[in-house]
Amino acid sequence: MKGVLLIIAFFIYGSGFSQKVFVVNYASQADVKVFIVNYESQADLKVYKVKYQSEAGNNNGKWFFVNYASEADKKIYFVNYETQADLKIYFVKYEAQAGWRNKNKAYLMY
């Protein structure tokens, strides 16, 4: 669990994402339960963290993590196991790499 929290903290404070997202503390508070996969080919959505809120996307994999739940388009919770997840994501290095691999799951982020 500590490892997951470190990963979350790194991505929240490390750079930026599109679509305004807030990470909640409990699964019951979340709109979407998310699992971070190790390989791009395993992901439903490739996510790029944008630096500025104005860069937040329209369900295109560009996420911006906000500080308050009231500012978020979606509240997410990072689960420990793939089987617990509604959505599997992979963090990409470049903005152009962001996007859906499994468009059947796109409704989760609307």
Side-chain angles (χ1 to χ4, degrees), residues 33 35 79-86 88:
K33 291 178 279 186
F35 182 75
V79 296
N80 293 321
Y81 303 101
E82 185 175 346
T83 57
Q84 299 170 318
D86 301 317
K88 296 179 284 184

Side-chain angles (χ1 to χ4, degrees), residues 15-80:
S15 53
F17 274 78
S18 286
Q19 196 157 19
K20 294 181 288 182
V21 175
F22 180 77
V23 179
V24 295
N25 294 322
Y26 303 100
S28 60
Q29 299 171 320
D31 298 317
V32 182
K33 291 178 279 186
V34 175
F35 182 75
I36 302 168
V37 296
N38 293 322
Y39 302 100
E40 184 177 335
S41 61
Q42 299 171 318
D44 298 315
L45 176 63
K46 297 180 291 178
V47 175
Y48 177 77
K49 187 175 174 186
V50 297
K51 294 181 182 178
Y52 304 102
Q53 185 171 330
S54 62
E55 297 173 332
N58 291 320
N59 202 9
N60 60 2
K62 297 176 189 175
W63 287 4
F64 179 80
F65 284 96
V66 295
N67 294 321
Y68 303 99
S70 60
E71 298 174 329
D73 296 321
K74 286 292 177 179
K75 293 177 280 189
I76 64 170
Y77 178 77
F78 288 102
V79 296
N80 293 321

